[in-house]
Amino acid sequence: MRSQLSQRWVAWRQLDGTGMGATVARRKDGTEKNRRTPLPDVARQLFVFSGNECAWSDPNCTTRLVTAENGWVGEIAHIIGAEPTSARHEAWDGKDVDDLRHFSNLMLLCKVHARNIDDKPSRGEFTVEYLRAVKERHEAPYRFGLEQLESEFKDAVAGNIVTPATTMRRYFRWEGVDLDPAEEAEVIALVGKLADRVGTLTRQARQVLALVVKEDEPNCQLIERRLTADSTTLISICEELAGIEAAELYVDEWGEDLPRVVLRGGAVSGIPEMWGQLRMFATSEGIDLNDIIVNLDFSLLD
Ligand SMILES: [Zn+2]
């Protein structure tokens, strides 16, 4: 059996092989049909967000679009039908024919469900709004997964780009203490060092760190639930965080409390309270800590 990835390629080729966008189909009277083949990018997008499963969810259909034998049993179905006699065509605003083959108007179903929403006896059961909701619900987790994957990919390819704090004016104003310029420069340098260290972490480790700072040293269960990480992953992330002395796993030796991730000030030895300060600063200034810790934009302190 082929790998998941090569199955995807096979499916893309099959979707492509339908002569995407090349020709315009004609009706018997010679006029152009509204129904056009989806653009190749749209077909790929549909497949990526399908998880290789029919989008039907009521009841949930788990039919695989590319079968174990590499057969293609999926069908691209229109939510608003393209042809005048087709299902839900009356919902079309009649403006741009190409809207009908846009990603948002198409869903990937198994042949049974594609037939069910289009056939005359049954199609009246399914409104445009209902089908859009079915599509949305099915695609959402894959969209999220893809976004994650893309950001991981960007990180891996480009390296983590740290935007350093240069003046920290906003932070000093919020803190309300009067530092002379030399003292300010010292704090800015320390925060710069911290930013660089955080920038060496993987994105996932930065997400854990941001959560630990936000939630003030939460237990592992909460972290695993929020970030849908398993214990093994979390343990290795904790090692990563300990490596820059930002945080570490704390296990109560009496086993009374759940293991927690606790913060360490090592990365910023000159300002040990920095994590707590950052939390309070972000809260009172309405800044998302993720933008600083995960997206590495320390210029938000300026
Ligand atoms: Zn199905």
Side-chain angles (χ1 to χ4, degrees):
M1 210 180 93
R2 290 186 215 201
S3 71
Q4 198 68 26
L5 199 67
S6 80
Q7 280 188 18
R8 285 187 174 191
W9 277 111
V10 171
W12 287 347
R13 258 205 340 259
Q14 281 163 336
L15 286 170
D16 263 351
T18 53
M20 299 286 164
T23 49
V24 175
R26 295 190 179 275
R27 303 190 185 101
K28 275 180 194 147
D29 63 6
T31 54
E32 278 184 17
K33 274 192 175 181
N34 287 338
R35 190 183 173 100
R36 298 183 186 185
T37 47
L39 298 165
D41 279 353
V42 172
R44 284 196 195 92
Q45 202 181 358
L46 278 169
F47 189 71
V48 169
F49 293 148
S50 75
N52 193 25
E53 255 181 24
C54 169
W56 204 253
S57 57
D58 186 23
N60 193 37
C61 174
T62 54
T63 300
R64 293 177 63 176
L65 303 173
V66 178
T67 64
E69 297 77 29
N70 279 327
W72 171 246
V73 299
E75 211 153 287
I76 294 174
H78 284 68
I79 292 176
I80 296 176
E83 285 301 288
T85 53
S86 61
R88 299 163 297 280
H89 180 75
E90 66 288 349
W92 183 39
D93 62 10
K95 285 180 193 152
D96 187 351
V97 177
D98 272 341
D99 285 348
L100 296 168
R101 60 170 177 170
H102 188 263
F103 176 75
S104 60
N105 191 45
L106 302 171
M107 55 199 298
L108 209 43
L109 296 168
C110 71
K111 288 195 194 299
V112 172
H113 283 115
R115 183 57 70 83
N116 209 30
I117 67 166
D118 280 348
D119 256 13
K120 276 211 172 101
S122 52
R123 69 192 192 188
E125 302 288 316
F126 312 109
T127 64
V128 169
E129 292 69 33
Y130 175 80
L131 292 176
R132 281 191 184 140
V134 168
K135 171 185 164 76
E136 187 57 36
R137 197 159 52 215
H138 183 76
E139 289 174 354
Y142 301 106
R143 277 179 202 243
F144 178 74
L146 196 70
E147 275 164 23
Q148 285 280 102
L149 205 67
E150 271 172 353
S151 49
E152 292 289 338
F153 183 70
K154 268 188 225 146
D155 266 10
V157 173
N160 305 331
I161 296 160
V162 180
T163 311
T166 48
T167 64
M168 289 187 62
R169 218 164 276 151
R170 190 172 178 182
Y171 179 83
F172 291 137
R173 201 188 315 122
W174 165 79
E175 208 180 25
V177 287
D178 221 6
L179 300 177
D180 65 46
E183 288 168 328
E184 281 190 4
E186 206 176 311
V187 177
I188 293 168
L190 280 168
V191 170
K193 197 167 120 188
L194 172 76
D196 285 342
R197 294 233 187 140
V198 175
T200 64
L201 297 169
T202 58
R203 188 177 183 86
Q204 222 181 356
R206 300 201 302 273
Q207 283 170 331
V208 171
L209 180 60
L211 189 62
V212 171
V213 175
K214 263 191 215 177
E215 296 293 325
D216 200 6
E217 310 189 334
N219 67 51
C220 293
Q221 216 172 53
L222 182 135
I223 301 172
E224 285 166 26
R225 208 173 48 229
R226 290 275 186 85
L227 301 176
T228 48
D230 56 47
S231 314
T232 323
T233 312
L234 188 55
I235 288 168
S236 79
I237 287 174
C238 286
E239 279 165 14
E240 212 186 317
L241 293 174
I244 66 154
E245 294 169 72
E248 66 187 5
L249 191 62
Y250 169 80
V251 183
D252 173 25
E253 74 178 294
W254 305 105
E256 284 169 353
D257 292 322
L258 288 167
R260 293 185 300 142
V261 179
V262 296
L263 293 164
R264 288 181 57 184
V268 274
S269 46
I271 32 175
E273 301 304 318
M274 192 63 201
W275 297 123
Q277 291 285 96
L278 266 182
R279 170 172 55 243
M280 290 186 284
F281 166 74
T283 310
S284 75
E285 294 287 299
I287 295 170
D288 186 350
L289 262 182
N290 281 337
D291 285 335
I292 301 176
I293 297 175
V294 182
N295 299 329
L296 300 169
D297 187 2
F298 284 78
S299 73
L300 288 166
L301 303 175
D302 291 343

